[in-house]
Amino acid sequence: MGTTHPILKLVAQRIALGVLLLFAVSALIFAGTQILPGDVASSILGQSATPQALANLREELGLNDPAIVRYFAWLGGVLTGDLGTALTTRQDIATTLMPRLWNTLFLAFWTAIVAVPLAVLLGLLAVRYRNGPVDKAISGFALASTSLPEFFIGYLLIFFFAVKMQWFPSISTVYDGMPLLEKLRAIVLPGTALLLVVLAHMMRMTRAAILNVMQSAYIETAELKGLSQFDIIRRHAFPNAIAPIVNVVMLNLAFLVVGVVVVEVIFVYPGLGQYLVDHVAKRDVPVVQAVGLIFAAVYISLNIFADIAAILANPRLRHPR
């Protein structure tokens, strides 16, 4: 038998670790939803329900089974693509959830398309003109943007660009069959709110990663050779800072998917976050479990991707001591 390539072995280890982590998170999500106060059957039928009706519904929902049995029944359904039925609407969760997931990914994708290159560019400019007016202006903007919570940014955008100027709608409604340009116009304000949240973090980490590389001995050698600052950053510093930059970008992309709850609620955007909030209020446990597991899967997957990208970009990580 031939030996397995070290990189393939590391990738397989990371994926196996991710699967184990997701399994543990699924147990935590299930346990967390089970210890919530109140009774699901009473929430569905209301306070006027008779004891017999409550008992029948509990039996129908399997609430009388031990928690471990219900957990593996739920996990088995998830593994076969069956996320269950929403308690409040009696609709299939997977069927209802997919368009919402697509809307959230659509918003995250277009935000990332703008945020990632802009953050890297601003980080490079801050390093190129470090300690100068450009660096201070970019760093000041990043600090101000980081200090403001996304709900405050969202309401400011609505006030100025939807109410005062009326350039964009305050409610970001999208639907199947909507033309792409109208969809893009609808997500300008929520996308901008998310952009301002993630841009500052990515820019600051890009700047820090490149500055860290700029202190290396080979950068001094490049300076002694007479290379310009721009060439040193482009040819030596930036390629060697790719690993931490990719890591930060992946973490922020994960935020764009799992951290959009507040922004989607403010702009009434029909995404996964809005769907989660609607059903948390109704104590619809199966929906909360399904959305929580999807958020966890996205977050873990992007972290694994960042880890693998860092290993591929940095030879030292392939051969840990």
Side-chain angles (χ1 to χ4, degrees), residues 118-119 121-129 132-145 199-200 203-204 207:
L118 185 58
L121 176 64
L122 290 175
L124 290 172
L125 286 174
V127 172
R128 171 62 183 85
Y129 301 102
V134 174
D135 182 22
K136 290 177 180 175
I138 293 174
S139 297
F141 167 75
L143 184 62
S145 177
L199 181 68
M203 188 284 293
R204 285 166 63 93
R207 180 182 182 276

Side-chain angles (χ1 to χ4, degrees), residues 154-165:
Y155 285 126
L156 282 180
L157 292 173
I158 288 175
F159 179 73
F160 285 108
F161 295 104
V163 177
K164 290 293 184 185
M165 301 178 185

Side-chain angles (χ1 to χ4, degrees), residues 37 52 55 58 78 114 128 141 148 151 179 185-186 197 216 246 269 295 299:
Q52 185 59 44
R58 288 195 188 101
V78 170
V114 178
R128 171 62 183 85
F141 167 75
L148 297 174
F151 73 86
R185 184 171 180 270
V197 174
S216 304
V246 168
Y269 184 74
F295 279 165
Y299 198 84

